[in-house]
Amino acid sequence: MLELENISKRYGDLTVLEPTTLSIAKGQTVVLIGPSGCGKSTLLRMIIGLITPDSGHVKLDGTLLTSETVNTLRHSMGYVLQDGGLFPHLSAYDNVAIMARHLERWNNNEIHARIEQLAALTKLPIELLSRFPGQISGGQRQRVAIMRGLMLDPPVLLLDEPMGALDPLVRYDLQEDLKEIFRNLQKTVVLVTHDMGEAAFFANDVLLMAHGKIAQRGAIEDFLDSPASDFVSRFIRAQRFPKLN
Amino acid sequence: MRICFFNQILNRVVLTWLVLSCGWWIQAQDPVRIGSKSFTESVVLGEMLCTLARHEHLPVHHRSELGGTQFLWQALLKNEIDAYVEYSGTLSEEIFAGQGVFGLESIREELADSGIRMSQPLGFNNSYALGMKRARAAELNLTKMSQLHAFPELRYGFGDEFIERRDGWQGLKAKYRIPIEETRSLDHALAYRGIQAGSLDVIDIYSTDAEVVSYDLTVLEDDLAYFPTYEAVVLYRVDLANRYPKFVERVESLAGVIDNHSMAELNQQARINRKPESIVAATFLHDRFDTTIEIPSIQQQIAARRWQKFFVNAREHCFLVFVSLSLAILVSVPLGIVAYKFPHWGGWILGVVGIIQTIPSMALLVLVIPILGLGAAPAILALFLYSLLPIVRGTHTGLSSLSPSIHESALALGLPSAARLRLIELPLASQAILSGIKTSAVINVGTATIGALIGAGGFGQPIITGIRLSDFWLILQGAIPAAVFALLVQALFSWAEMHLVPAGLRIQPSSE
């Protein structure tokens, strides 16, 4: 269970996040959506302790996130950024293995077994992993980043616009594969996106954020049928869905 | 039984230690350390003191061609050298500048306060002077400057400095009422050529210049005592007189032995005829002072030069660069890391290291000599300080310019700070750090030539000697190896970059 209680953040006069309370049940997928600067990435960064809230606190399964517990809690959370955040000086394999090897002290066989498993899960040919991040495609890089996020089998997976920079075909395949992974692994997933279609595809539990606040929480259908505010209807309208049939 | 055995071992250890340390003590106590400045006259006079010491069967160490008056003076005070030859004018105008210490007696008193003694003047006075061709002076019956006003037809040629200086031509003209408006300002070498060709009659010279002999000049007597006197004297530490009274007695008896013309001749033999200074000095002492003094053979002297010297210089130079650069790397990389991790300190660290870089090397060396004396140590300290900035800056820049997403994902993995630094930040900054080190190394190789100024040797040594003797080839013997060394270092670090910078950073990112 991931709990955020009354967390807020401001930079000088600029309020990035109004006091927000939110809880996400174990094994659930939640999507944060909203326009740029609405506070959705700030919220995600607070969950993993990259930004310290001005007020309130974050708890994972009852453990309070503090400067003492942050590194331990981070081991229970996989984090995937828009550009993957892979380390360019390490091979894809070493990127995935870094925590297991240097912090958890797994032996090579254990590491290799786990990586084979993850490669199958993310549908990456294992021989590709010997390459450096600069030598593989953007879609492959994101798959490697997801492998790295899953390596220690954390109960929580946080994804910050993981498909934002991919072209539509690559994105389509990755969305399909990711959804399957989420379903199979039963992780608690928080996914940030600005794409309504992607939000609808991944979850029934969508949080639409605006001006540092949660504007509405629910399924996409609720947003269409009963928008909580004028902003929600405008945001929905702004997404153009082609009518295919 | 066991105690007995231990005692035996202990005795042996103590005995060995005593013998070794006594040996060290005798060695460290022994040599007479003579200093000299980086012009030929000073080196010849230094060799004279060495010759006298050798004649007394004392081990001698000649720290020759040191960078300047302050270096020698500080070294003498610091007990790094025992004696050197100085000029009365330099003592009044430079060492005791602004203290109103004029005249040999007041100088002697002032020196005594610092535990330094001064010998009687050696005999010559190396001051500014006016010179004429001997024949021309004889023809006009000219011997003194006060006679010049009677000859308005004389043609004068002076160096720029002499014309500009307040105590130069303007004052001289007034003092001796010389009725001349026009003088030619020209380079010294040209002035000598002019006087040789007969297009000039009077030029400015130093009274003991080698050229006085080689151009056969008459030095006009400064009979109204216009120029300050620069009488040569030996400065030595009081404790030298206690350690080697006989040697000091010999030094004192040099009083009045070397007149102006003799000194000019000695300069001419060393600088123009390129005779080794040790032979020039010993020959003079043998002929004019003490016939029992031995003259070293010239073969011995020549053989000791060239390749042997080259290897010694190379070894000294490498030593200076290697030690100072290694220390600089050990200190600068952590400093760069601190500057990056604690931005509050970062400004200070970069500021201080930057200021150090702006200190002129001569000033830095003068400041360092009282602490570390002469030789390799102060040179290494100076080089170390000059090597800091590029490495600290390279490290700091390399770490600060990591992309935010790399930084964020390293944090998000939950790696502790030290592991982040070791596994991610430092490898990613390695290129910038290495190029900082490369810059430092190349600058260091060039700067290490200053080591010769304070007796640390290196490729600066032939450069200094070459400048002193106006020997172009000798200058090249220092300058070319130093340049080649710098190129080698550059190549070495480029090669290191290829191998030390992680492979993933050297590939071009693929486009999709």
Side-chain angles (χ1 to χ4, degrees):
Chain A
M1 172 88 121
L2 190 58
E3 294 162 284
L4 318 181
E5 268 183 50
N6 255 323
I7 57 167
S8 68
K9 187 75 193 175
R10 38 188 313 134
Y11 295 107
D13 286 342
L14 180 72
T15 303
V16 190
L17 191 67
E18 300 276 3
T20 300
T21 300
L22 173 70
S23 77
I24 299 163
K26 212 180 180 80
Q28 268 215 310
T29 299
V30 170
V31 174
L32 297 177
I33 190 168
S36 303
C38 69
K40 55 192 194 299
S41 287
T42 303
L43 193 70
L44 195 74
R45 285 188 171 87
M46 282 181 177
I47 297 174
I48 197 161
L50 292 173
I51 296 176
T52 314
D54 295 337
S55 70
H57 54 254
V58 176
K59 270 190 200 169
L60 177 63
D61 295 332
T63 311
L64 196 65
L65 182 85
T66 63
S67 52
E68 283 82 39
T69 59
V70 65
N71 272 344
T72 325
L73 284 185
R74 279 169 179 166
H75 300 169
S76 307
M77 305 184 210
Y79 183 62
V80 180
L81 288 94
Q82 179 171 348
D83 68 355
L86 296 179
F87 307 125
H89 65 299
L90 299 177
S91 68
Y93 190 99
D94 291 337
N95 260 286
V96 177
I98 186 166
M99 291 300 291
R101 181 177 293 149
H102 295 286
L103 220 64
E104 307 288 319
R105 305 272 168 207
W106 293 10
N107 69 36
N108 283 341
N109 292 338
E110 288 169 321
I111 290 174
H112 196 74
R114 176 66 177 155
I115 286 181
E116 274 186 328
Q117 211 177 7
L118 290 172
L121 194 69
T122 53
K123 301 192 176 154
L124 259 185
I126 191 139
E127 61 277 5
L128 213 70
L129 292 176
S130 62
R131 298 196 192 165
F132 290 104
Q135 295 170 315
I136 55 181
S137 72
Q140 290 164 337
R141 274 201 287 275
Q142 289 311 89
R143 285 170 198 263
V144 173
I146 290 158
M147 284 176 71
R148 188 172 72 182
L150 290 171
M151 182 69 186
L152 299 183
D153 201 15
V156 178
L157 199 55
L158 309 173
L159 304 101
D160 193 355
E161 305 204 25
M163 285 151 290
L166 302 180
D167 66 58
L169 287 177
V170 176
R171 181 191 313 186
Y172 182 85
D173 289 341
L174 187 58
Q175 283 170 338
E176 292 287 334
D177 294 339
L178 262 185
K179 190 170 182 181
E180 198 182 322
I181 290 168
F182 296 164
R183 197 168 42 226
N184 291 343
L185 298 183
Q186 291 294 300
K187 302 282 180 204
T188 308
V189 175
V190 183
L191 180 117
V192 168
T193 180
H194 57 257
D195 182 278
M196 206 69 185
E198 190 167 283
F201 176 75
F202 276 106
N204 289 322
D205 193 358
V206 177
L207 280 91
L208 175 58
M209 294 186 68
H211 312 302
K213 277 189 286 204
I214 297 174
Q216 189 164 357
R217 179 174 184 173
I220 291 290
E221 292 77 29
D222 303 339
F223 292 19
L224 291 164
D225 300 343
S226 48
S229 66
D230 189 36
F231 169 79
V232 177
S233 3
R234 280 198 295 127
F235 189 79
I236 297 288
R237 265 206 313 276
Q239 311 274 334
R240 299 183 200 279
F241 298 104
K243 297 214 162 38
L244 293 177
N245 42 359
Chain B
M1 187 63 200
R2 182 175 274 184
I3 291 170
C4 229
F5 178 68
F6 258 116
N7 264 344
Q8 247 179 351
I9 291 201
L10 196 68
N11 278 340
R12 258 183 218 184
V13 169
V14 170
L15 198 68
T16 316
W17 182 79
L18 275 177
V19 168
L20 283 178
S21 53
C22 277
W24 175 82
W25 185 75
I26 290 166
Q27 274 249 301
Q29 275 291 306
D30 243 356
V32 178
R33 298 152 308 168
I34 306 296
S36 61
K37 302 188 193 183
S38 58
F39 55 90
T40 300
E41 185 168 294
S42 186
V43 177
V44 170
L45 293 167
E47 281 298 335
M48 271 193 206
L49 299 182
C50 293
T51 305
L52 289 181
R54 273 187 218 108
H55 189 61
E56 298 296 326
H57 306 289
L58 302 175
V60 196
H61 185 193
H62 188 182
R63 287 205 177 275
S64 66
E65 303 180 301
L66 297 177
T69 302
Q70 278 302 324
F71 293 180
L72 282 142
W73 175 243
Q74 295 294 345
L76 189 67
L77 291 180
K78 178 77 175 43
N79 196 12
E80 286 283 320
I81 55 174
D82 294 306
Y84 81 100
V85 176
E86 189 52 278
Y87 301 89
S88 58
T90 307
L91 283 156
S92 299
E93 305 286 340
E94 269 187 60
I95 293 175
F96 300 129
Q99 298 177 34
V101 184
F102 296 102
L104 289 177
E105 277 325 298
S106 21
I107 292 175
R108 196 182 302 279
E109 276 168 33
E110 199 64 35
L111 286 169
D113 293 345
S114 311
I116 307 295
R117 281 194 196 154
M118 182 175 86
S119 73
Q120 291 303 316
L122 300 181
F124 67 92
N125 171 21
N126 181 359
S127 69
Y128 260 131
L130 296 184
M132 293 183 73
K133 264 319 243 187
R134 183 178 301 283
R136 180 81 170 130
E139 174 193 323
L140 302 173
N141 204 11
L142 259 171
T143 54
K144 300 177 199 167
M145 291 191 195
S146 57
Q147 298 168 319
L148 285 171
H149 77 272
F151 300 95
E153 74 274 22
L154 290 175
R155 293 154 299 171
Y156 293 77
F158 297 131
D160 287 327
E161 197 199 340
F162 187 72
I163 291 178
E164 299 296 324
R165 280 173 71 126
R166 232 167 355 112
D167 57 349
W169 170 236
Q170 294 307 322
L172 184 80
K173 194 170 73 167
K175 180 102 180 176
Y176 285 103
R177 295 179 291 112
I178 302 172
I180 294 291
E181 283 311 315
E182 212 178 301
T183 53
R184 281 195 220 166
S185 138
L186 66 173
D187 178 75
H188 246 127
L190 288 178
Y192 285 120
R193 219 173 287 166
I195 205 163
Q196 182 75 358
S199 57
L200 290 173
D201 297 308
V202 185
I203 60 171
D204 67 305
I205 55 169
Y206 288 105
S207 48
T208 58
D209 272 353
E211 283 79 3
V212 170
V213 176
S214 47
Y215 289 96
D216 194 22
L217 302 182
T218 292
V219 181
L220 297 178
E221 189 195 331
D222 180 16
D223 49 338
L224 298 182
Y226 170 73
F227 292 118
T229 54
Y230 279 75
E231 287 183 285
V233 290
V234 182
L235 301 186
Y236 59 92
R237 298 178 56 82
V238 171
D239 53 282
L240 182 70
N242 302 331
R243 272 160 59 208
Y244 300 120
K246 255 196 103 188
F247 167 64
V248 170
E249 204 178 290
R250 296 307 302 266
V251 170
E252 286 286 358
S253 62
L254 276 179
V257 167
I258 315 167
D259 61 26
N260 274 11
H261 196 75
S262 307
M263 193 64 241
E265 260 174 4
L266 294 173
N267 285 334
Q268 192 246 359
Q269 284 171 29
R271 201 162 71 78
I272 313 284
N273 298 349
R274 300 278 159 80
K275 262 200 194 174
E277 290 83 5
S278 57
I279 294 179
V280 172
T283 311
F284 174 82
L285 289 175
H286 172 86
D287 295 349
R288 307 276 196 90
F289 184 65
D290 179 352
T291 49
T292 63
I293 284 174
E294 273 179 49
I295 301 170
S297 80
I298 198 152
Q299 274 78 11
Q300 237 174 347
Q301 294 293 316
I302 302 265
R305 288 185 176 204
R306 306 213 194 281
W307 283 110
Q308 203 178 343
K309 284 205 168 171
F310 173 82
F311 285 119
V312 170
N313 291 335
R315 199 190 60 213
E316 289 163 340
H317 207 96
C318 289
F319 178 73
L320 293 179
V321 171
F322 180 78
V323 175
S324 62
L325 189 67
S326 308
L327 289 174
I329 293 171
L330 286 178
V331 171
S332 310
V333 174
L335 273 182
I337 293 170
V338 171
Y340 160 71
K341 290 263 178 188
F342 307 95
H344 176 70
W345 288 96
W348 281 100
I349 290 173
L350 289 169
V352 169
V353 169
I355 287 169
I356 289 174
Q357 200 76 14
T358 66
I359 303 174
S361 53
M362 290 296 243
L364 187 62
L365 291 176
V366 169
L367 291 175
V368 164
I369 289 174
I371 307 163
L372 291 175
L374 293 172
I380 285 170
L381 179 62
L383 292 174
F384 160 78
L385 290 173
Y386 286 138
S387 299
L388 295 176
L389 182 66
I391 308 177
V392 172
R393 195 164 277 278
T395 308
H396 181 256
T397 309
L399 291 171
S400 308
S401 54
L402 297 185
S403 84
S405 82
I406 298 285
H407 188 70
E408 202 166 76
S409 63
L411 275 174
L413 281 177
L415 279 172
S417 180
R420 266 196 329 266
L421 193 66
R422 180 171 60 88
L423 297 172
I424 293 155
E425 292 165 336
L426 283 179
L428 286 176
S430 59
Q431 211 153 13
I433 296 173
L434 268 173
S435 73
I437 294 175
K438 181 160 81 175
T439 307
S440 261
V442 172
I443 293 175
N444 192 313
V445 170
T447 315
T449 50
I450 64 168
L453 296 174
I454 46 173
F459 291 126
Q461 201 66 61
I463 296 178
I464 290 188
T465 312
I467 292 171
R468 170 167 78 74
L469 297 175
S470 318
D471 185 336
F472 187 63
W473 288 110
L474 199 52
I475 295 174
L476 290 185
Q477 279 172 39
I480 291 175
V484 171
F485 188 15
L487 288 175
L488 282 177
V489 164
Q490 168 120 13
L492 178 79
F493 277 98
S494 300
W495 178 85
E497 250 175 85
M498 296 260 295
H499 291 81
L500 291 179
V501 171
L505 299 182
R506 282 182 267 122
I507 49 139
Q508 297 295 316
S510 70
S511 51
E512 282 165 51

